[in-house]
Amino acid sequence: MSLTAGIVGLPNVGKSTLFNAITKKNILAANYPFATIDPNVGVVTVPDKRLEFLETLYRPERTIPTTFEFTDIAGLVKGASAGEGLGNKFLSHIREVDAICEVVRCFEDKNIIHVETDVNPIRDIEIINVELMLADLEVVMNRLNRISKKAAMSKDKDAKFEVDLLTKIKDNLEKDIPLRQVELEEEELEFIKPFHLLTLKPIIYMANVSEEDLLSDHNIYVEQVREYALRENAKVITVCAKMESELSELTDEDKILFLNDLGIEESGLDKLIHATYSLLGLATYFTAGTDECKAWTFKKGMKAPECAGIIHSDFERGFIRAEVMSYEDLEKFGTELKVREAGRMRLEGKEYIMADGDICHFRFNV
């Protein structure tokens, strides 16, 4: 299960600089709007100290972490949903992502042009969010225009359900209410899934600050973003794109030393990954052995056969049971043999709900 996030923001807020840093890709970052013309996709590995422990213990031929995919699109401006700045084209690039990361400028710098002339994070957020809502409204209206007459004339129950649902969505969007704040039933959510509506996606606000403000965490702009996010139950993380750029040039060991010297526990990328995992209700299980140690991402609440299916559909189809131990037990007892001797190795069936940190061996027969 791959995780994808779309990075959006106004021009010159540090979006592409941040993307360059976290994916270590040399994408054009320039001090003018629309420096990024085509969508850029970067894949980063998800840091997990548990996988490092498994690698040390099993000494496998290969170690494979789970991954996180970023799509960076050109800076949006007012009117993007109507095609301003080629915005409509850019918005289409993030329709299928799992979450949206909105980079918000929370630093002053006279040398970096602001497309709206001054720093005002709430105005910037609302510009982006309005454009996302207008893009969704266009999708909904196009569909309503096609099916409304048919639903009225045929009295088809499914068609009436769709019209009622889309009308409900339209009414909320016209009131500037993003769909993630609208109460929708499971059946309704399943029905509109193919529409890939942007404002239905969970959002994380990334407040891009100066190095000084990252260390002090006293930034009036960040406080404004946090207050705004609180009202819509969204997450906020603070990052310094400039610092992330510097970190991307270091080895893993030097990066840890650099952060320790500054008194920072984790990089902006790590904070983003942890926040996104939490937002999407994701967790990690592992498969481990002398041939391979690998991390797998799954949704909390998934049962063992579904998780086995992430590896291969045959594993789910022919699932018999899973041999499971927790990471905590393996770390505590030191070896797989000692976990077995302590009676902590378990055989779980089809109804077992997987837990974060489970180390599994799936038995199946096709």
Side-chain angles (χ1 to χ4, degrees):
M1 177 183 286
S2 60
L3 175 65
T4 62
I7 303 179
V8 301
L10 292 176
N12 298 342
V13 296
K15 184 174 55 64
S16 290
T17 299
L18 190 62
F19 177 83
N20 292 351
I22 59 184
T23 61
K24 296 185 179 177
K25 284 201 168 191
N26 189 27
I27 304 303
L28 174 65
N31 185 22
Y32 55 88
F34 315 122
T36 312
I37 301 302
D38 295 313
N40 299 295
V41 177
V43 178
V44 297
T45 57
V46 176
D48 196 319
K49 293 187 182 298
R50 297 172 298 182
L51 191 60
E52 295 173 15
F53 174 82
L54 294 177
E55 183 178 29
T56 302
L57 182 64
Y58 286 93
R59 300 191 180 279
E61 293 178 18
R62 57 188 178 275
T63 301
I64 306 173
T66 189
T67 58
F68 190 121
E69 184 177 288
F70 290 97
T71 298
D72 173 46
I73 68 169
L76 299 173
V77 293
K78 281 181 183 176
S81 59
E84 288 295 322
L86 302 180
N88 224 352
K89 174 186 173 185
F90 298 143
L91 285 170
S92 69
H93 296 143
I94 58 167
R95 285 222 172 263
E96 295 188 30
V97 301
D98 299 302
I100 291 175
C101 303
E102 186 171 326
V103 182
V104 186
R105 179 168 168 174
C106 293
F107 65 89
E108 298 275 3
D109 190 332
K110 289 183 290 187
N111 297 315
I112 300 179
I113 303 163
H114 193 295
V115 72
E116 292 291 329
T117 72
D118 64 337
V119 178
N120 184 331
I122 303 307
R123 176 205 58 210
D124 295 355
I125 286 172
E126 290 178 343
I127 287 173
I128 297 292
N129 289 355
V130 164
E131 294 307 323
L132 298 182
M133 283 187 275
L134 288 173
D136 280 353
L137 189 59
E138 181 183 7
V139 170
V140 170
M141 290 303 297
N142 285 342
R143 179 62 181 166
L144 271 174
N145 290 338
R146 285 200 299 272
I147 66 163
S148 292
K149 286 184 180 178
K150 175 188 172 185
M153 291 173 64
S154 68
K155 296 184 179 179
D156 179 86
K157 286 185 179 179
D158 291 338
K160 184 179 185 308
F161 172 80
E162 182 175 2
V163 168
D164 289 347
L165 173 57
L166 294 180
T167 301
K168 173 182 173 180
I169 289 171
K170 176 183 76 73
D171 291 345
N172 278 281
L173 290 171
E174 287 178 340
K175 294 173 186 172
D176 290 340
I177 301 172
L179 298 180
R180 59 182 168 271
Q181 293 182 41
V182 178
E183 286 190 25
L184 295 168
E185 300 293 333
E186 199 65 42
E187 183 185 8
E188 294 175 321
L189 288 170
E190 196 61 34
F191 188 87
I192 61 174
K193 190 183 287 184
F195 290 86
H196 300 295
L197 298 171
L198 296 168
T199 64
L200 194 60
K201 300 178 188 299
I203 193 165
I204 293 175
Y205 295 111
M206 301 175 66
N208 185 17
V209 301
S210 66
E211 291 181 68
E212 294 77 15
D213 284 342
L214 183 69
L215 299 176
S216 68
D217 200 30
H218 292 297
N219 179 307
I220 188 170
Y221 297 134
V222 175
E223 290 307 314
Q224 290 171 4
V225 175
R226 283 177 178 152
E227 286 176 18
Y228 183 95
L230 191 62
R231 295 198 296 271
E232 58 174 41
N233 199 29
K235 287 183 176 290
V236 178
I237 61 170
T238 54
V239 297
C240 174
K242 183 180 177 184
M243 185 179 292
E244 292 297 317
S245 183
E246 293 171 1
L247 286 171
S248 71
E249 302 299 322
L250 303 177
T251 64
D252 289 343
E253 293 77 12
D254 287 343
K255 184 169 78 170
I256 292 169
L257 289 173
F258 182 86
L259 291 173
N260 286 343
D261 285 346
L262 294 174
I264 298 173
E265 291 185 8
E266 56 183 355
S267 69
L269 171 59
D270 292 351
K271 287 195 287 186
L272 174 59
I273 290 172
H274 294 150
T276 308
Y277 264 57
S278 172
L279 191 67
L280 296 174
L282 300 175
T284 304
Y285 78 84
F286 304 92
T287 50
T290 54
D291 57 336
E292 177 183 280
C293 287
K294 187 167 182 176
W296 304 86
T297 300
F298 69 98
K299 266 196 174 294
K300 291 176 181 176
M302 286 176 69
K303 293 181 180 179
E306 296 175 278
C307 288
I310 293 171
I311 299 175
H312 196 286
S313 58
D314 284 351
F315 283 30
E316 181 175 7
R317 187 159 53 93
F319 180 89
I320 300 171
R321 55 185 170 273
E323 193 173 45
V324 183
M325 61 179 164
S326 71
Y327 172 81
E328 289 75 15
D329 282 342
L330 182 59
E331 186 179 41
K332 176 182 175 181
F333 293 106
T335 68
E336 191 174 314
L337 177 61
K338 288 181 179 177
V339 172
R340 291 181 187 276
E341 290 173 346
R344 300 292 295 173
M345 184 71 74
R346 314 183 311 273
L347 286 176
E348 301 289 359
K350 293 182 178 180
E351 295 304 308
Y352 175 67
I353 296 175
M354 292 283 281
D356 183 56
D358 277 350
I359 302 168
C360 306
H361 174 69
F362 295 108
R363 299 181 183 180
F364 70 103
N365 183 30
V366 178

